[in-house]
Amino acid sequence: MYSKRKRMNTLLRQTLHTGALILAGTLIASCTRTAQPSGEQVYTQYCAACHDQPATRAPPREALAQLSPQRILRTLDFGTMMAVAYPIRRGDREVLAQYLGKGQDASAIAPAALCSADRNILAGASSAPAWKGWSPTTANTAFQPREASGLSADQVGNLRLKWAFGYAGDFIAFAAPTVSRGTLFVGSAGGAVHALDAQTGCTYWTYQAKGPVRTPPTLAGEDENPVLLFTDQVGGVYALEARTGREVWTMRVEEHEATRLSGAITVHEGIAFVPAASWEESRAVDPKYPCCTFRGSVSAVRISDGSVAWKTWLVDPPQKTGVSPAGTDLFGPSGVGVWSAPTVDAKRGLLYIGTGDNYTHPATPTSDAIVALDLQSGAIRWIRQTTADDVFNAMCARGGASNCGPDHDFAAPAMLVQTPSGRDVLIAGQKSGVVYGLDPDDEGRILWETRIGVGGTSGGVQWGMASDGSKVYASVADPVRTAGDQGSLTVGNAPFDPAKGGGLTALDVLTGNTLWHAVPAPCAPPRDGCSPAQPAAVSVIAGAVFSGSMDGHIRAFSADDGRVLWDFDTQRSFTTVNGVTAQGGSIDGPGAVVVNGMVYVNSGYPRLGGAPGNVLLAFGIDSNLP
Ligand code: HEC
């Protein structure tokens, strides 16, 4: 200790002798590094690169302030930011969390929120109407037929709010619900997974996962002991007893520490198909990050015990390709994440996936493609790439990388549509703003392609389209920043053009011809942070199409001509059945889920500077209305 201080003094004196006072200050700071840095210093070093930079799509500092210090610590220790936080010492994390978080920690479930003894979990028959996982069927068309929706197009205009449920301690509501046998299962940004009564919203149980859960839970083995399957955003796969919330097994689907699971699991014949993407694309914003080594994949996991039946990576193992200007090793090929639910084609024995961009060179033929895998072995049967050489990471948006591609991922699941004539068409929508009709009998040959929007890194078709067999309903995001935007990003306050962006288009499944195009209403009143962009996934019932918007509106459009049948503004506060203070915001991510005359919608995903929120809304028909 003595000798250390002596050396420091010597350094200081030498420096003073040279007259470089500022340099002396720097030296002192680095010599006393073991001292506790301030929260501001930790933030500047590890967080500001993304959370003060809109191009990274990270929520800004004010949004983080709404969380409790405990919640931020969980995010760093085992949540979304785990991969970013691993070089940060525990003590520094605590100081950082105390400095950033100003909110209250989520309390335990209020006794009044629990279901009374006369309500029973999974009480309905296993044949009862359901919406399990991303879509009612593994064809991923997000179509709920009349018997199961319990709702006709004529009734849609009479939908009223029945109940609201608040996600305690969250400012993001991005999780897709699953409804089966009168029970609703939904995850949350805080990692709490809830089992609720679908009719009343009362709580049966809550389970705390190790990371944020945005994928819809799905059910398997329903006739005996139903198992609830879901993933978290940091690589975990979970199987719980659906009746009790007790763990059956958990596993990690990828070793890579930057794994990010955003795509829903698809279940087929005892197997859970788990798609994997990663955080690396945004971690590359750090010039010292050795970019990139993640390989997008799909794993076939046995539901019985969590073992892996097969696994297919979309790129070969990365090799060192060079050194960055910052002196860090670079690797490639990398990326080709799978961001959305796989689609099952049992007739052809295939599993379809949509892939994202490469993160680094060399580019591969598997990126920005629809890929058909063998359902039994996972072997790649064919690849239909629509954008070649799309190499993109967060450095591109900051001008720190060259040879960048357009970031035109397929982020929405491919839909296997059976048309009334009996012919199957595989439909895929891209962030480029183009929708494709592919021939599943001819290695995905392009039958037609139709541009429905401008497209971009956060534009075009984002989360999902829908089809009722004869039409494809595709909404576009395409949020437009107003001129004079200096790249600022404040929650609910980003400088969007209140009249530009969005749009819902109906295409003919067989030809791709545009049948109608509904233009969204501008934000009313025009307000900061409001965009009419429609990034959220689309859902369809017989005669009506549901589409949510960044302006907080959830609307139902007539499937015949695109006329608005119902419009509800979710951007306000709500009284909730679980007593949690809740607010609606931008609708982004998953689409509406329609079962048994009820429509469930999550509101509040502040991606890109949209409005935060933490509410699940349940709408139904008032029986005494005409
Ligand atoms: C490489 C970019 C990047 C860095 C660095 C980064 N973040 Fe994030 N962070 C993100 C993105 C992107 C999201 C949004 C996640 C989403 O939309 O799902 C996010 C979300 C979050 C959330 C909310 C997620 C939740 O649990 O609900 C918290 C809290 C957070 N970050 C804290 C931090 C802190 C603290 C640091 C510094 C130690 C940090 N982040 C560094 C990119 C980053």
Side-chain angles (χ1 to χ4, degrees), residues 232-297:
D232 68 21
Q233 286 250 71
V234 292
V237 185
Y238 301 76
L240 309 183
E241 264 178 33
R243 288 187 192 285
T244 60
R246 266 187 233 118
E247 267 175 30
V248 181
W249 52 259
T250 66
M251 57 94 74
R252 255 192 90 77
V253 77
E254 281 291 339
E255 289 306 319
H256 201 290
E257 44 84 22
T259 303
R260 180 182 191 185
L261 305 181
S262 69
I265 288 178
T266 303
V267 164
H268 179 69
E269 294 183 343
I271 298 285
F273 296 104
V274 185
S278 89
W279 291 97
E280 270 203 316
E281 192 168 346
S282 43
R283 289 185 74 187
V285 78
D286 175 2
K288 293 198 281 302
Y289 183 77
C291 185
C292 278
T293 51
F294 184 82
R295 306 161 69 198
S297 70

Side-chain angles (χ1 to χ4, degrees), residues 39 44 106 154 196 275 337 342 477 510 529 548 556-557:
T44 306
D154 298 345
L196 309 178
L510 288 171
F557 299 81

Side-chain angles (χ1 to χ4, degrees), residues 54-314:
T56 63
R57 302 166 216 173
R61 193 193 294 215
E62 304 111 78
L64 305 185
Q66 296 177 30
L67 299 174
S68 68
Q70 297 90 324
R71 171 76 159 64
I72 293 179
L73 211 48
R74 284 201 296 274
T75 305
L76 299 177
D77 288 346
F78 54 72
T80 316
M81 293 291 110
M82 187 171 81
V84 171
Y86 78 93
I88 309 176
R89 291 185 310 159
R90 192 62 176 39
D92 295 358
R93 293 181 191 198
E94 281 167 20
V95 170
L96 172 65
Q98 286 296 341
Y99 161 77
L100 278 179
K102 306 277 178 265
Q104 295 295 309
D105 198 32
S107 45
I109 311 168
L114 290 170
C115 295
S116 52
D118 60 343
R119 311 274 340 162
N120 285 311
I121 190 164
L122 295 169
S126 59
S127 57
W131 184 304
K132 290 184 277 187
W134 184 254
S135 175
T137 72
T138 56
N140 281 333
T141 53
F143 172 62
Q144 187 69 293
R146 178 73 181 84
E147 324 75 80
S149 73
L151 206 58
S152 69
D154 298 345
Q155 291 173 310
V156 163
N158 292 333
L159 284 168
R160 300 284 182 273
L161 185 66
K162 289 285 183 191
W163 52 264
F165 177 89
Y167 299 105
D170 286 351
F171 66 90
I172 295 176
F174 62 9
T178 262
V179 179
S180 181
R181 301 167 71 176
T183 309
L184 180 148
F185 300 93
V186 70
S188 66
V193 176
H194 305 278
L196 309 178
D197 188 279
Q199 216 162 15
T200 68
C202 68
T203 302
Y204 289 113
W205 54 254
T206 293
Y207 169 88
Q208 180 62 50
K210 285 204 154 57
V213 176
R214 68 178 300 164
T215 57
T218 187
L219 282 160
E222 285 224 64
D223 292 329
E224 297 112 42
N225 194 8
V227 175
L228 193 72
L229 295 151
F230 57 89
T231 59
D232 68 21
Q233 286 250 71
V234 292
V237 185
Y238 301 76
L240 309 183
E241 264 178 33
R243 288 187 192 285
T244 60
R246 266 187 233 118
E247 267 175 30
V248 181
W249 52 259
T250 66
M251 57 94 74
R252 255 192 90 77
V253 77
E254 281 291 339
E255 289 306 319
H256 201 290
E257 44 84 22
T259 303
R260 180 182 191 185
L261 305 181
S262 69
I265 288 178
T266 303
V267 164
H268 179 69
E269 294 183 343
I271 298 285
F273 296 104
V274 185
S278 89
W279 291 97
E280 270 203 316
E281 192 168 346
S282 43
R283 289 185 74 187
V285 78
D286 175 2
K288 293 198 281 302
Y289 183 77
C291 185
C292 278
T293 51
F294 184 82
R295 306 161 69 198
S297 70
V298 181
S299 301
V301 177
R302 292 186 190 91
I303 294 169
S304 54
D305 60 2
S307 62
V308 176
W310 58 253
K311 180 182 192 81
T312 298
W313 279 284
L314 280 311

